[in-house]
Amino acid sequence: MVGRLVVVSNRVGDPRKAAAGGLAVALGDALAVSGGMWFGWSGKVVENGPRGEGELHVQQSGKVTLATIDLGREDYDAYYAGYSNRVLWPVFHYRLDLADLDAGFFDGYQRVNRLFARKLLDLLRPDDIIWVHDYHLIPLAAELRALGCQHRIGFFLHIPLPPPLILAAIPAHEWLMRSLFAYDLVGLQSAADLAHFSGYVIAEAGAELLPDDHFRAFNRLVRARAFPIGIDVNEFQALAETPESMEMRDTLREQYARRQLLVGVDRLDYSKGLPQRLRAFQRLLANYPENQQSATLIQVATPTREGLAAYDEIRKELEGLAGQINGDYGGLEWMPVRYMHRTLARRRLPGLYRAGRVALVTPLRDGMNLVAKEFIVAQDPQDPGVLVLSRFAGAAEQLSEALLVNPYDTGATAEAMQRALRMPLGERRERHQALLGRVCEHDVHWWRRGFLQALASAERAVG
Ligand code: ADQ
């Protein structure tokens, strides 16, 4: 009999909610088919709540059990805002300059992972298969094992894994990497991330490489493999047919009938390379004046992790740059940059992508980047737009027919924008066809199946 699937992540997506993104839908689908459980933080922070404790809420959503726990203020600050987002996020995105390595958030991170393990263990059935997601929960399996849990447990890291010498800057790096060996399977986004994993465990832990992507180290066996995440292509195509999406496309096309639109859709995060993108756009207007009065960049940036200094700073920098470009180049008839600090309703996204002649997906570092894949799916195959993609996004390994750029190189990125704006129809179609084929074949269901099959067939150490 196939066991129940138990998904664990920091935030729990209710698959019934229309606002749920692709991942919530994809995992929700898998849970709904055979019945399963989704476990994570409730989103509630209890002021003056006790350390290492939290109330558990269990509710049923169709066939899926949603189990969530509240966190006390001190735990939340140390585990989420602290260790996850001020240590692991910057370091894993190669930003040692932004990491708060001294700040002592480590105890809270460990405490919350231990709390999750304790509460989860009580809810498990004997043949459950557990799938843990992302950097907030790296030590979860080790905590579960310490309590005697024998289940199959897999882990997927949604963000990049940096090279060994960058990882080694985290004081607890060895403990973190050893924690990964409590899993049966570790999934990474790209071949580059996998190479960093293998480089680290061979150099720092003398790991032995065994057949079928298994590694032996720390007296344990783990399988590690790249599983590039995809989007739910059917769900996204259905979204594109909604009235909201079509209205968005038609309104933009009408408003910008005589202009060319470039679009950017991101969380407002320093990893996304937004100031670099605006500077490259500024360079485009300066070096190729024929784009003045014409090329317009619509940049939507979702507010995220507000209150953390690095995020407040990037916001200010971006607003300053947008204002400067509009001041220098804009007029009564035309504003080069339309910058919006907000989340666009998911139903409107395909319409925005479809109206764009060019998408700018230029992160300095990104685990995968799903916006790139969504843009491809939203295009009209007869008259598709062009994807300008950072070579430092995990997606670049799969999407080689995009115009790949180094986002640190302002001049070269501006050149790529110009090339994208001028690309002849035949070349646009050819590139799009190749990209679409790959995005459709390697969708989120392919990703999920691949991961779960590899987890089910991973070798386990005897004894
Ligand atoms: P994120 O960093 O959140 O996720 P990304 O993959 O770019 O990044 O986007 C996730 C979703 O958010 C997409 O569906 C996108 O449409 C939506 N989104 C982003 N900005 C938006 C906006 N302004 N308005 C509306 N919707 C917006 C992490 C990793 C990524 C990895 C994903 C999945 O950082 O590298 O691709 O997980 O594994």
CSV table of all heavy atoms in Angstrom, one decimal, residues 86-141:
chain,number,residue,atom,x,y,z
A,86,ARG,N,17.8,36.2,7.9
A,86,ARG,CA,19.0,37.1,8.0
A,86,ARG,C,20.3,36.4,8.0
A,86,ARG,O,21.4,36.9,8.0
A,86,ARG,CB,18.9,38.0,9.3
A,86,ARG,CG,17.8,39.1,9.1
A,86,ARG,CD,17.5,39.8,10.3
A,86,ARG,NE,18.6,40.6,10.9
A,86,ARG,CZ,18.5,41.3,12.0
A,86,ARG,NH1,17.4,41.3,12.7
A,86,ARG,NH2,19.5,42.0,12.4
A,87,VAL,N,20.2,35.0,8.0
A,87,VAL,CA,21.4,34.2,7.9
A,87,VAL,C,21.3,33.3,6.6
A,87,VAL,O,22.1,33.5,5.7
A,87,VAL,CB,21.7,33.3,9.1
A,87,VAL,CG1,22.9,32.5,8.9
A,87,VAL,CG2,21.8,34.2,10.4
A,88,LEU,N,20.4,32.4,6.6
A,88,LEU,CA,20.3,31.4,5.6
A,88,LEU,C,20.0,32.1,4.2
A,88,LEU,O,20.7,31.8,3.2
A,88,LEU,CB,19.4,30.3,5.9
A,88,LEU,CG,19.7,29.5,7.1
A,88,LEU,CD1,18.7,28.4,7.4
A,88,LEU,CD2,21.1,28.8,7.0
A,89,TRP,N,19.0,32.9,4.2
A,89,TRP,CA,18.6,33.5,2.9
A,89,TRP,C,19.8,34.3,2.2
A,89,TRP,O,20.1,34.0,1.1
A,89,TRP,CB,17.3,34.3,3.0
A,89,TRP,CG,16.9,35.0,1.7
A,89,TRP,CD1,17.4,36.2,1.2
A,89,TRP,CD2,16.0,34.4,0.7
A,89,TRP,NE1,16.8,36.4,0.0
A,89,TRP,CE2,16.0,35.4,-0.4
A,89,TRP,CE3,15.3,33.3,0.6
A,89,TRP,CZ2,15.2,35.2,-1.5
A,89,TRP,CZ3,14.5,33.1,-0.6
A,89,TRP,CH2,14.5,34.0,-1.6
A,90,PRO,N,20.4,35.2,2.9
A,90,PRO,CA,21.5,36.0,2.3
A,90,PRO,C,22.7,35.0,1.9
A,90,PRO,O,23.2,35.1,0.8
A,90,PRO,CB,21.9,37.0,3.3
A,90,PRO,CG,21.2,36.7,4.6
A,90,PRO,CD,20.0,35.8,4.2
A,91,VAL,N,23.1,34.2,2.8
A,91,VAL,CA,24.2,33.4,2.5
A,91,VAL,C,24.0,32.4,1.3
A,91,VAL,O,24.8,32.3,0.4
A,91,VAL,CB,24.7,32.5,3.7
A,91,VAL,CG1,25.9,31.6,3.3
A,91,VAL,CG2,25.2,33.5,4.9
A,92,PHE,N,22.8,31.8,1.3
A,92,PHE,CA,22.5,30.9,0.2
A,92,PHE,C,22.3,31.6,-1.1
A,92,PHE,O,22.4,31.0,-2.1
A,92,PHE,CB,21.2,30.1,0.6
A,92,PHE,CG,21.5,28.9,1.5
A,92,PHE,CD1,22.4,29.0,2.5
A,92,PHE,CD2,20.8,27.7,1.4
A,92,PHE,CE1,22.7,27.9,3.4
A,92,PHE,CE2,21.0,26.6,2.3
A,92,PHE,CZ,22.0,26.8,3.3
A,93,HIS,N,22.1,32.9,-1.0
A,93,HIS,CA,22.1,33.7,-2.3
A,93,HIS,C,23.4,34.5,-2.4
A,93,HIS,O,23.5,35.5,-3.1
A,93,HIS,CB,20.9,34.7,-2.3
A,93,HIS,CG,19.6,34.1,-2.5
A,93,HIS,ND1,18.8,33.5,-1.5
A,93,HIS,CD2,18.9,33.8,-3.6
A,93,HIS,CE1,17.7,33.0,-2.0
A,93,HIS,NE2,17.8,33.1,-3.3
A,94,TYR,N,24.5,33.9,-1.8
A,94,TYR,CA,25.9,34.4,-2.0
A,94,TYR,C,26.1,35.8,-1.5
A,94,TYR,O,26.9,36.5,-1.9
A,94,TYR,CB,26.2,34.4,-3.5
A,94,TYR,CG,26.2,33.1,-4.2
A,94,TYR,CD1,25.1,32.3,-4.2
A,94,TYR,CD2,27.3,32.7,-5.0
A,94,TYR,CE1,25.0,31.1,-4.9
A,94,TYR,CE2,27.2,31.5,-5.7
A,94,TYR,CZ,26.1,30.7,-5.7
A,94,TYR,OH,26.0,29.5,-6.4
A,95,ARG,N,25.2,36.3,-0.5
A,95,ARG,CA,25.4,37.7,0.0
A,95,ARG,C,25.9,37.7,1.4
A,95,ARG,O,25.1,38.0,2.3
A,95,ARG,CB,24.0,38.4,-0.1
A,95,ARG,CG,23.5,38.6,-1.6
A,95,ARG,CD,24.5,39.5,-2.4
A,95,ARG,NE,24.6,40.8,-1.8
A,95,ARG,CZ,23.9,41.9,-2.1
A,95,ARG,NH1,22.9,41.8,-3.0
A,95,ARG,NH2,24.1,43.0,-1.5
A,96,LEU,N,27.1,37.3,1.6
A,96,LEU,CA,27.7,37.3,2.9
A,96,LEU,C,27.7,38.8,3.5
A,96,LEU,O,27.6,38.9,4.7
A,96,LEU,CB,29.2,36.9,2.8
A,96,LEU,CG,29.4,35.4,2.5
A,96,LEU,CD1,30.8,35.0,2.5
A,96,LEU,CD2,28.7,34.5,3.6
A,97,ASP,N,27.7,39.8,2.6
A,97,ASP,CA,27.7,41.1,3.1
A,97,ASP,C,26.4,41.5,3.8
A,97,ASP,O,26.4,42.4,4.6
A,97,ASP,CB,27.9,42.1,1.9
A,97,ASP,CG,26.9,42.0,0.8
A,97,ASP,OD1,26.5,40.8,0.5
A,97,ASP,OD2,26.4,43.0,0.2
A,98,LEU,N,25.3,40.8,3.5
A,98,LEU,CA,24.1,41.1,4.1
A,98,LEU,C,23.7,40.2,5.3
A,98,LEU,O,22.6,40.3,5.9
A,98,LEU,CB,22.9,41.1,3.1
A,98,LEU,CG,23.0,42.1,2.0
A,98,LEU,CD1,21.9,41.9,0.9
A,98,LEU,CD2,23.0,43.5,2.5
A,99,ALA,N,24.6,39.2,5.5
A,99,ALA,CA,24.2,38.2,6.5
A,99,ALA,C,24.6,38.7,7.9
A,99,ALA,O,25.6,39.3,8.2
A,99,ALA,CB,25.0,36.9,6.2
A,100,ASP,N,23.7,38.3,8.9
A,100,ASP,CA,23.9,38.7,10.3
A,100,ASP,C,24.4,37.4,11.0
A,100,ASP,O,23.7,36.8,11.8
A,100,ASP,CB,22.5,39.0,10.8
A,100,ASP,CG,22.5,40.3,11.5
A,100,ASP,OD1,23.6,40.7,12.1
A,100,ASP,OD2,21.4,41.0,11.5
A,101,LEU,N,25.7,37.1,10.8
A,101,LEU,CA,26.1,35.8,11.3
A,101,LEU,C,26.4,35.7,12.8
A,101,LEU,O,26.4,34.6,13.4
A,101,LEU,CB,27.4,35.5,10.6
A,101,LEU,CG,27.3,35.3,9.1
A,101,LEU,CD1,28.6,35.2,8.4
A,101,LEU,CD2,26.5,34.0,8.8
A,102,ASP,N,26.5,36.8,13.4
A,102,ASP,CA,26.8,36.8,14.9
A,102,ASP,C,25.6,36.9,15.8
A,102,ASP,O,25.7,36.8,17.0
A,102,ASP,CB,27.5,38.1,15.2
A,102,ASP,CG,29.0,38.0,15.0
A,102,ASP,OD1,29.4,36.8,14.9
A,102,ASP,OD2,29.7,39.0,14.8
A,103,ALA,N,24.4,37.1,15.2
A,103,ALA,CA,23.3,37.6,16.0
A,103,ALA,C,22.7,36.6,16.9
A,103,ALA,O,21.8,37.0,17.6
A,103,ALA,CB,22.3,38.2,15.0
A,104,GLY,N,23.1,35.3,16.9
A,104,GLY,CA,22.6,34.4,17.9
A,104,GLY,C,21.1,34.0,17.7
A,104,GLY,O,20.4,33.8,18.6
A,105,PHE,N,20.7,33.9,16.4
A,105,PHE,CA,19.4,33.4,16.2
A,105,PHE,C,19.3,31.9,16.1
A,105,PHE,O,18.2,31.3,16.0
A,105,PHE,CB,18.9,33.9,14.8
A,105,PHE,CG,18.9,35.4,14.6
A,105,PHE,CD1,19.6,36.0,13.5
A,105,PHE,CD2,18.3,36.2,15.4
A,105,PHE,CE1,19.7,37.3,13.3
A,105,PHE,CE2,18.3,37.6,15.3
A,105,PHE,CZ,19.0,38.2,14.2
A,106,PHE,N,20.5,31.3,16.2
A,106,PHE,CA,20.6,29.9,16.0
A,106,PHE,C,19.7,29.1,17.0
A,106,PHE,O,19.0,28.1,16.6
A,106,PHE,CB,22.1,29.5,16.1
A,106,PHE,CG,22.3,28.1,15.9
A,106,PHE,CD1,22.2,27.5,14.6
A,106,PHE,CD2,22.7,27.2,16.9
A,106,PHE,CE1,22.4,26.1,14.4
A,106,PHE,CE2,22.9,25.9,16.8
A,106,PHE,CZ,22.8,25.3,15.5
A,107,ASP,N,19.7,29.5,18.2
A,107,ASP,CA,19.0,28.7,19.2
A,107,ASP,C,17.5,28.6,18.9
A,107,ASP,O,16.9,27.6,19.0
A,107,ASP,CB,19.1,29.3,20.6
A,107,ASP,CG,20.6,29.1,21.1
A,107,ASP,OD1,21.3,28.4,20.5
A,107,ASP,OD2,20.9,29.8,22.2
A,108,GLY,N,17.0,29.8,18.5
A,108,GLY,CA,15.6,29.8,18.1
A,108,GLY,C,15.2,29.0,16.9
A,108,GLY,O,14.2,28.3,16.9
A,109,TYR,N,16.1,28.9,16.0
A,109,TYR,CA,15.9,28.1,14.8
A,109,TYR,C,15.9,26.6,15.2
A,109,TYR,O,14.9,25.9,14.7
A,109,TYR,CB,17.1,28.3,13.8
A,109,TYR,CG,17.1,27.6,12.5
A,109,TYR,CD1,16.2,27.9,11.5
A,109,TYR,CD2,18.0,26.6,12.2
A,109,TYR,CE1,16.2,27.3,10.3
A,109,TYR,CE2,18.1,25.9,11.0
A,109,TYR,CZ,17.1,26.3,10.0
A,109,TYR,OH,17.1,25.6,8.8
A,110,GLN,N,16.8,26.2,16.0
A,110,GLN,CA,16.8,24.8,16.5
A,110,GLN,C,15.5,24.5,17.3
A,110,GLN,O,14.9,23.5,17.1
A,110,GLN,CB,18.0,24.7,17.4
A,110,GLN,CG,18.9,23.5,17.0
A,110,GLN,CD,20.1,23.4,17.9
A,110,GLN,OE1,20.3,24.3,18.8
A,110,GLN,NE2,20.8,22.3,17.8
A,111,ARG,N,15.2,25.5,18.2
A,111,ARG,CA,14.0,25.3,19.1
A,111,ARG,C,12.7,25.1,18.3
A,111,ARG,O,11.9,24.2,18.5
A,111,ARG,CB,13.9,26.5,19.9
A,111,ARG,CG,13.2,26.3,21.2
A,111,ARG,CD,13.5,27.4,22.2
A,111,ARG,NE,13.2,28.8,21.7
A,111,ARG,CZ,14.1,29.8,21.7
A,111,ARG,NH1,15.3,29.6,22.2
A,111,ARG,NH2,13.7,31.0,21.2
A,112,VAL,N,12.5,25.9,17.2
A,112,VAL,CA,11.3,25.8,16.4
A,112,VAL,C,11.3,24.5,15.6
A,112,VAL,O,10.3,23.8,15.5
A,112,VAL,CB,11.1,27.0,15.6
A,112,VAL,CG1,10.0,26.8,14.6
A,112,VAL,CG2,10.8,28.3,16.4
A,113,ASN,N,12.5,24.1,15.1
A,113,ASN,CA,12.5,22.8,14.4
A,113,ASN,C,12.2,21.7,15.3
A,113,ASN,O,11.5,20.7,14.9
A,113,ASN,CB,13.9,22.7,13.7
A,113,ASN,CG,13.9,23.3,12.3
A,113,ASN,OD1,13.4,22.6,11.3
A,113,ASN,ND2,14.2,24.5,12.2
A,114,ARG,N,12.7,21.8,16.5
A,114,ARG,CA,12.4,20.7,17.5
A,114,ARG,C,10.9,20.7,17.9
A,114,ARG,O,10.3,19.6,18.0
A,114,ARG,CB,13.2,21.0,18.8
A,114,ARG,CG,13.4,19.8,19.7
A,114,ARG,CD,14.6,20.1,20.7
A,114,ARG,NE,15.9,20.0,20.0
A,114,ARG,CZ,17.0,20.7,20.5
A,114,ARG,NH1,16.9,21.4,21.6
A,114,ARG,NH2,18.1,20.6,19.9
A,115,LEU,N,10.3,21.9,18.0
A,115,LEU,CA,8.9,22.0,18.3
A,115,LEU,C,8.1,21.4,17.1
A,115,LEU,O,7.1,20.6,17.3
A,115,LEU,CB,8.5,23.5,18.4
A,115,LEU,CG,7.0,23.8,18.4
A,115,LEU,CD1,6.3,23.2,19.6
A,115,LEU,CD2,6.8,25.4,18.4
A,116,PHE,N,8.4,21.7,15.9
A,116,PHE,CA,7.7,21.1,14.7
A,116,PHE,C,7.8,19.6,14.8
A,116,PHE,O,6.9,18.9,14.5
A,116,PHE,CB,8.4,21.6,13.4
A,116,PHE,CG,7.8,22.9,12.8
A,116,PHE,CD1,7.4,24.0,13.7
A,116,PHE,CD2,7.6,23.0,11.5
A,116,PHE,CE1,6.9,25.1,13.1
A,116,PHE,CE2,7.1,24.2,10.9
A,116,PHE,CZ,6.7,25.2,11.7
A,117,ALA,N,9.0,19.1,15.1
A,117,ALA,CA,9.2,17.7,15.1
A,117,ALA,C,8.3,17.0,16.1
A,117,ALA,O,7.7,16.0,15.8
A,117,ALA,CB,10.7,17.4,15.3
A,118,ARG,N,8.3,17.6,17.3
A,118,ARG,CA,7.5,17.0,18.4
A,118,ARG,C,6.0,16.9,18.0
A,118,ARG,O,5.3,15.9,18.2
A,118,ARG,CB,7.7,17.8,19.6
A,118,ARG,CG,8.0,17.0,20.8
A,118,ARG,CD,8.3,17.8,22.1
A,118,ARG,NE,8.5,19.2,22.1
A,118,ARG,CZ,7.6,20.1,22.4
A,118,ARG,NH1,6.4,19.8,22.8
A,118,ARG,NH2,8.0,21.4,22.4
A,119,LYS,N,5.5,18.0,17.5
A,119,LYS,CA,4.1,18.1,17.2
A,119,LYS,C,3.7,17.2,16.0
A,119,LYS,O,2.7,16.6,16.0
A,119,LYS,CB,3.7,19.6,16.9
A,119,LYS,CG,3.9,20.5,18.0
A,119,LYS,CD,2.7,20.4,19.0
A,119,LYS,CE,2.9,21.5,20.1
A,119,LYS,NZ,1.9,21.4,21.1
A,120,LEU,N,4.7,17.2,15.0
A,120,LEU,CA,4.4,16.4,13.8
A,120,LEU,C,4.4,14.9,14.2
A,120,LEU,O,3.5,14.2,13.7
A,120,LEU,CB,5.4,16.7,12.8
A,120,LEU,CG,5.4,15.9,11.5
A,120,LEU,CD1,4.0,16.1,10.8
A,120,LEU,CD2,6.5,16.3,10.5
A,121,LEU,N,5.3,14.5,15.0
A,121,LEU,CA,5.5,13.1,15.3
A,121,LEU,C,4.2,12.5,15.8
A,121,LEU,O,3.8,11.4,15.5
A,121,LEU,CB,6.6,12.9,16.3
A,121,LEU,CG,7.1,11.4,16.5
A,121,LEU,CD1,7.8,11.0,15.2
A,121,LEU,CD2,8.0,11.3,17.7
A,122,ASP,N,3.5,13.2,16.7
A,122,ASP,CA,2.2,12.8,17.2
A,122,ASP,C,1.1,12.5,16.2
A,122,ASP,O,0.2,11.8,16.4
A,122,ASP,CB,1.6,13.8,18.2
A,122,ASP,CG,2.5,13.9,19.5
A,122,ASP,OD1,3.2,12.9,19.7
A,122,ASP,OD2,2.3,14.9,20.2
A,123,LEU,N,1.3,13.2,15.1
A,123,LEU,CA,0.2,13.1,14.0
A,123,LEU,C,0.5,12.1,13.0
A,123,LEU,O,-0.3,11.8,12.1
A,123,LEU,CB,0.0,14.5,13.3
A,123,LEU,CG,-0.3,15.7,14.2
A,123,LEU,CD1,-0.3,17.0,13.5
A,123,LEU,CD2,-1.7,15.5,14.8
A,124,LEU,N,1.7,11.5,13.0
A,124,LEU,CA,2.1,10.6,11.9
A,124,LEU,C,1.5,9.2,12.0
A,124,LEU,O,1.3,8.7,13.1
A,124,LEU,CB,3.6,10.4,11.9
A,124,LEU,CG,4.4,11.7,11.5
A,124,LEU,CD1,5.9,11.4,11.6
A,124,LEU,CD2,4.0,12.1,10.1
A,125,ARG,N,1.2,8.6,10.9
A,125,ARG,CA,0.8,7.2,10.8
A,125,ARG,C,2.0,6.4,10.3
A,125,ARG,O,2.9,6.9,9.7
A,125,ARG,CB,-0.3,7.0,9.8
A,125,ARG,CG,-1.6,7.8,10.2
A,125,ARG,CD,-2.6,7.6,9.2
A,125,ARG,NE,-3.7,8.5,9.4
A,125,ARG,CZ,-4.6,8.8,8.5
A,125,ARG,NH1,-4.5,8.3,7.3
A,125,ARG,NH2,-5.6,9.6,8.7
A,126,PRO,N,2.0,5.1,10.6
A,126,PRO,CA,3.2,4.3,10.4
A,126,PRO,C,3.8,4.3,8.9
A,126,PRO,O,5.0,4.4,8.8
A,126,PRO,CB,2.8,2.8,10.7
A,126,PRO,CG,1.6,3.0,11.6
A,126,PRO,CD,1.0,4.3,11.2
A,127,ASP,N,2.9,4.3,7.9
A,127,ASP,CA,3.6,4.3,6.6
A,127,ASP,C,3.5,5.6,5.8
A,127,ASP,O,3.6,5.7,4.6
A,127,ASP,CB,3.0,3.2,5.7
A,127,ASP,CG,1.5,3.2,5.7
A,127,ASP,OD1,0.9,4.2,6.3
A,127,ASP,OD2,0.8,2.3,5.1
A,128,ASP,N,3.4,6.7,6.6
A,128,ASP,CA,3.4,8.1,5.9
A,128,ASP,C,4.8,8.3,5.3
A,128,ASP,O,5.8,7.8,5.7
A,128,ASP,CB,3.3,9.1,7.0
A,128,ASP,CG,1.8,9.3,7.4
A,128,ASP,OD1,0.9,8.8,6.8
A,128,ASP,OD2,1.6,10.0,8.5
A,129,ILE,N,4.7,9.1,4.2
A,129,ILE,CA,6.0,9.6,3.5
A,129,ILE,C,6.0,11.1,3.8
A,129,ILE,O,5.0,11.8,3.5
A,129,ILE,CB,5.9,9.2,2.1
A,129,ILE,CG1,6.0,7.7,1.9
A,129,ILE,CG2,7.1,9.9,1.3
A,129,ILE,CD1,6.1,7.2,0.6
A,130,ILE,N,7.2,11.6,4.2
A,130,ILE,CA,7.2,13.0,4.7
A,130,ILE,C,8.1,13.8,3.7
A,130,ILE,O,9.2,13.3,3.3
A,130,ILE,CB,7.8,13.1,6.1
A,130,ILE,CG1,7.1,12.2,7.0
A,130,ILE,CG2,7.8,14.5,6.5
A,130,ILE,CD1,7.7,12.0,8.4
A,131,TRP,N,7.5,14.9,3.2
A,131,TRP,CA,8.3,15.8,2.3
A,131,TRP,C,8.4,17.2,2.9
A,131,TRP,O,7.4,17.9,3.0
A,131,TRP,CB,7.5,15.8,0.9
A,131,TRP,CG,8.3,16.5,-0.1
A,131,TRP,CD1,9.5,17.1,0.0
A,131,TRP,CD2,7.9,16.7,-1.5
A,131,TRP,NE1,9.9,17.6,-1.2
A,131,TRP,CE2,9.0,17.4,-2.1
A,131,TRP,CE3,6.8,16.3,-2.2
A,131,TRP,CZ2,8.9,17.8,-3.5
A,131,TRP,CZ3,6.7,16.7,-3.6
A,131,TRP,CH2,7.8,17.4,-4.2
A,132,VAL,N,9.6,17.5,3.3
A,132,VAL,CA,9.9,18.8,3.9
A,132,VAL,C,10.4,19.8,2.9
A,132,VAL,O,11.2,19.4,2.1
A,132,VAL,CB,11.0,18.6,5.0
A,132,VAL,CG1,11.3,19.9,5.7
A,132,VAL,CG2,10.5,17.5,6.0
A,133,HIS,N,9.9,21.0,3.0
A,133,HIS,CA,10.3,22.1,2.1
A,133,HIS,C,11.1,23.2,2.7
A,133,HIS,O,10.7,23.8,3.7
A,133,HIS,CB,9.1,22.7,1.4
A,133,HIS,CG,8.4,21.7,0.5
A,133,HIS,ND1,8.6,21.7,-0.9
A,133,HIS,CD2,7.6,20.6,0.7
A,133,HIS,CE1,7.9,20.7,-1.4
A,133,HIS,NE2,7.3,20.0,-0.5
A,134,ASP,N,12.2,23.5,2.1
A,134,ASP,CA,12.9,24.8,2.2
A,134,ASP,C,13.8,25.0,3.5
A,134,ASP,O,13.7,24.3,4.4
A,134,ASP,CB,12.0,25.9,1.9
A,134,ASP,CG,12.6,26.8,0.8
A,134,ASP,OD1,13.7,26.5,0.3
A,134,ASP,OD2,12.0,27.8,0.4
A,135,TYR,N,14.5,26.1,3.3
A,135,TYR,CA,15.6,26.4,4.3
A,135,TYR,C,15.2,26.6,5.7
A,135,TYR,O,16.0,26.6,6.6
A,135,TYR,CB,16.4,27.6,3.8
A,135,TYR,CG,15.6,28.9,3.6
A,135,TYR,CD1,15.6,29.9,4.5
A,135,TYR,CD2,14.8,29.0,2.5
A,135,TYR,CE1,14.9,31.1,4.3
A,135,TYR,CE2,14.0,30.2,2.3
A,135,TYR,CZ,14.1,31.2,3.2
A,135,TYR,OH,13.3,32.3,3.1
A,136,HIS,N,13.9,26.9,5.9
A,136,HIS,CA,13.5,27.1,7.3
A,136,HIS,C,13.6,25.8,8.1
A,136,HIS,O,13.6,25.9,9.3
A,136,HIS,CB,12.0,27.6,7.3
A,136,HIS,CG,11.7,28.6,6.3
A,136,HIS,ND1,11.3,28.3,5.0
A,136,HIS,CD2,11.7,30.0,6.4
A,136,HIS,CE1,11.1,29.4,4.4
A,136,HIS,NE2,11.3,30.5,5.2
A,137,LEU,N,13.5,24.7,7.4
A,137,LEU,CA,13.4,23.4,8.1
A,137,LEU,C,14.5,22.4,7.8
A,137,LEU,O,14.2,21.2,7.9
A,137,LEU,CB,12.0,22.9,7.7
A,137,LEU,CG,10.8,23.8,8.0
A,137,LEU,CD1,9.5,23.3,7.4
A,137,LEU,CD2,10.6,23.8,9.6
A,138,ILE,N,15.7,22.9,7.6
A,138,ILE,CA,16.8,22.0,7.2
A,138,ILE,C,17.0,20.9,8.3
A,138,ILE,O,17.1,19.7,8.0
A,138,ILE,CB,18.1,22.8,7.0
A,138,ILE,CG1,17.9,23.6,5.7
A,138,ILE,CG2,19.3,21.8,6.9
A,138,ILE,CD1,19.1,24.5,5.4
A,139,PRO,N,17.0,21.3,9.6
A,139,PRO,CA,17.2,20.2,10.6
A,139,PRO,C,16.0,19.4,11.1
A,139,PRO,O,16.1,18.6,12.0
A,139,PRO,CB,17.8,21.0,11.8
A,139,PRO,CG,17.2,22.4,11.7
A,139,PRO,CD,16.9,22.6,10.2
A,140,LEU,N,14.9,19.6,10.4
A,140,LEU,CA,13.7,18.9,10.9
A,140,LEU,C,13.8,17.4,10.9
A,140,LEU,O,13.4,16.7,11.9
A,140,LEU,CB,12.4,19.3,10.0
A,140,LEU,CG,11.1,18.7,10.6
A,140,LEU,CD1,10.8,19.4,11.9
A,140,LEU,CD2,10.0,18.9,9.6
A,141,ALA,N,14.4,16.8,9.9
A,141,ALA,CA,14.5,15.3,9.9
A,141,ALA,C,15.4,14.8,11.0
A,141,ALA,O,15.1,13.8,11.7
A,141,ALA,CB,15.0,14.8,8.5
